[in-house]
């Protein structure tokens, strides 16, 4: 047990240093260097090294106690910056997913509603173009020809860049996750929010590990966007920080979109592949002919009727009259 706790503490310390202290220390270095250089001479290395030499000759920096205090202050400041970025990243993730946009404050809710309406119009136009292309390809095949798939793929790609299903969220990421719930409800009469906690308990360890890793990568992408936002105030006294901010923000956006797509694919695949096992575990599989003693019955098919039965079992109905008694 002592060895286990020691190893756990070592891993936590490594993660603390990697995720919080090192990026935070880099931010403090950039902010301090930018404050020293200013806008007029943003790349004057001679001025920067001269300031470092002057600071190193200060009496406080010459003593062991002073150096320890400086080191502790830098570590504490770096950790504080890292924690701030995590908080901003969590907020950024919630905004980009926009699961509860209808509960946002009035002006933001109105802005989200107008954005949804605009995205719906764009999606309808792109869908009409895709359907027209599919119709042309069908006519070509009916005449015995072979339709070029490039134009069809491009039309589908344009539509999916707006949303893979009819937009109901102000952001692409929010609609990508919501599309999973829409498809499962349409195909199998499943409510993802209701079935997911129970399904998670019966998923194989490998599947849960893949989903957890994908979810963690989504959080890291949101933190990258947060770093981009945090570097933005440094441009007040050092304009090159704006380039850092834009680069981090752009990379974070690309990574967040990619990781959200991977996460949505894993969610949908996990439900479709393993929900039959959940049906069997809960005793909801249909009657099957007796199998051989040494044979194992296959998982139940995930039909709409099975999905409705599963929802009736898992969903908790509201108490009559709104009373909790």
């Amino acid at each position: 047990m002592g060895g286990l706790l020691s190893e756990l503490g070592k891993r936590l310390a490594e993660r603390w240093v990697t995720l919080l202290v090192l990026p935070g220390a880099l931010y403090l270095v950039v902010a301090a260097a930018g404050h020293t250089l200013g806008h007029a001479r943003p790349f004057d290395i001679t001025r920067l090294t001269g300031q470092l030499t002057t600071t190193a000759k200060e009496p406080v920096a010459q003593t062991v106690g002073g150096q320890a205090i400086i080191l502790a202050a830098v570590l504490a400041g770096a950790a504080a910056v890292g924690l701030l970025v995590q908080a901003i990243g969590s907020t950024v993730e919630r905004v980009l997913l926009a699961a509860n946009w209808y509960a946002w404050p009035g002006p933001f809710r109105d802005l989200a509603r107008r954005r949804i309406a605009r995205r719906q119009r764009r999606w309808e136009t792109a869908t009409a173009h895709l359907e027209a292309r599919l119709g042309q390809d069908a006519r070509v095949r009916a005449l015995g020809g072979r339709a070029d798939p490039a134009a069809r793929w491009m039309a589908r790609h344009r539509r999916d860049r707006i949303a893979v299903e009819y937009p109901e969220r102000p952001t692409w990421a929010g609609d990508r996750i919501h599309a999973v719930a829409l498809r499962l409800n349409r195909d199998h009469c499943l409510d993802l929010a209701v079935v997911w906690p129970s399904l998670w308990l019966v998923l194989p360890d490998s599947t849960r590990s893949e989903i957890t890793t994908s979810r963690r990568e989504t959080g890291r992408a949101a933190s990258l966007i947060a770093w981009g936002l945090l570097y933005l105030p440094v441009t007040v006294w050092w304009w090159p920080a704006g380039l850092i901010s834009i680069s981090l923000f752009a990379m974070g956006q690309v990574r967040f979109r990619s990781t959200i797509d991977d996460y949505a694919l894993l969610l949908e695949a996990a439900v479709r592949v393993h929900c039959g096992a959940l049906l069997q575990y809960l005793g909801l599989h249909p009657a099957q002919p007796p199998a051989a003693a040494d044979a194992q019955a296959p998982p139940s098919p995930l039909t709409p009727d099975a999905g409705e039965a599963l929802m009736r079992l898992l969903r908790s109905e509201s108490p009559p009259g709104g009373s909790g008694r």
Side-chain angles (χ1 to χ4, degrees):
M1 182 60 69
L4 175 62
L5 293 177
S6 176
E7 183 66 22
L8 180 60
K10 184 187 302 183
R11 291 183 179 274
L12 289 176
E14 291 175 356
R15 289 180 60 84
W16 179 75
V17 171
T18 303
L19 298 179
L20 294 180
V21 176
L22 291 182
L26 178 61
Y27 176 82
L28 294 179
V29 169
V30 172
H35 186 269
T36 301
L37 295 172
H39 291 298
R41 303 167 68 180
F43 303 110
D44 191 349
I45 304 300
T46 303
R47 181 181 180 183
L48 183 60
T49 55
Q51 182 62 39
L52 289 175
T53 302
T54 302
T55 303
K57 292 180 180 180
E58 293 290 336
V60 176
Q62 297 294 322
T63 63
V64 176
Q67 293 173 0
I69 292 175
I70 293 174
L71 179 60
V74 170
L75 291 177
V81 172
L83 291 174
L84 177 61
V85 165
Q86 286 193 346
I88 297 175
S90 178
T91 303
V92 166
E93 188 174 2
R94 294 182 64 180
V95 171
L96 291 179
L97 293 178
N100 59 339
W101 67 268
Y102 45 83
W104 290 357
F108 299 102
R109 184 172 61 249
D110 295 338
L111 181 63
R113 186 177 290 110
R114 289 194 295 269
R115 179 173 171 79
I116 291 172
R118 183 166 61 251
R119 297 183 71 247
Q120 288 174 346
R121 290 192 295 269
R122 292 175 56 210
W123 190 87
E124 290 169 353
T125 301
T127 300
H129 180 71
L130 174 61
E131 291 175 350
R133 173 57 57 182
L134 293 175
Q136 293 177 9
D137 291 352
R139 288 191 292 272
V140 170
R141 288 193 297 270
L143 295 176
R146 181 181 181 275
D148 183 10
R152 181 173 68 252
W153 292 342
M154 184 61 68
R156 187 179 299 277
H157 177 70
R158 290 196 185 101
R159 197 274 308 272
D160 291 348
R161 281 188 62 85
I162 303 170
V164 296
E165 293 283 346
Y166 188 72
E168 296 183 13
R169 299 287 187 273
T171 62
W172 181 91
D175 271 321
R176 185 64 187 92
I177 298 297
H178 186 58
V180 177
L182 289 177
R183 290 173 173 178
L184 293 175
N185 184 267
R186 181 178 62 223
D187 298 343
H188 306 294
C189 299
L190 290 176
D191 186 339
L192 179 62
V194 174
V195 75
W196 183 251
S198 300
L199 180 62
W200 180 259
L201 298 178
V202 301
L203 287 178
D205 291 340
S206 59
T207 303
R208 285 195 285 186
S209 176
E210 289 290 337
I211 294 174
T212 301
T213 301
S214 178
R215 186 67 180 85
R216 188 182 300 117
E217 290 299 319
T218 300
R220 289 177 179 173
S223 296
L224 195 59
I225 297 175
W227 279 114
L229 295 175
L230 199 62
Y231 272 96
L232 192 59
V234 184
T235 58
V236 173
W237 58 80
W238 193 54
W239 66 262
L243 302 178
I244 301 175
S245 175
I246 293 173
S247 300
L248 291 176
F249 189 85
M251 288 189 296
Q253 285 275 26
V254 173
R255 283 190 58 186
F256 190 80
R257 189 182 182 103
S258 176
T259 55
I260 280 292
D261 189 43
D262 294 340
Y263 182 60
L265 290 173
L266 286 174
L267 282 181
E268 186 172 356
V271 175
R272 293 183 185 274
V273 171
H274 296 286
C275 211
L278 178 62
L279 289 170
Q280 280 194 332
Y281 186 84
L282 296 175
L284 295 178
H285 55 82
Q288 298 178 352
D294 57 345
Q296 184 177 3
S300 303
L302 186 56
T303 62
D305 291 338
E308 289 182 351
L310 183 60
M311 288 300 96
R312 285 195 298 269
L313 179 63
L314 297 179
R315 184 181 287 116
S316 176
E317 300 294 340
S318 301
S323 174
R325 294 179 297 177

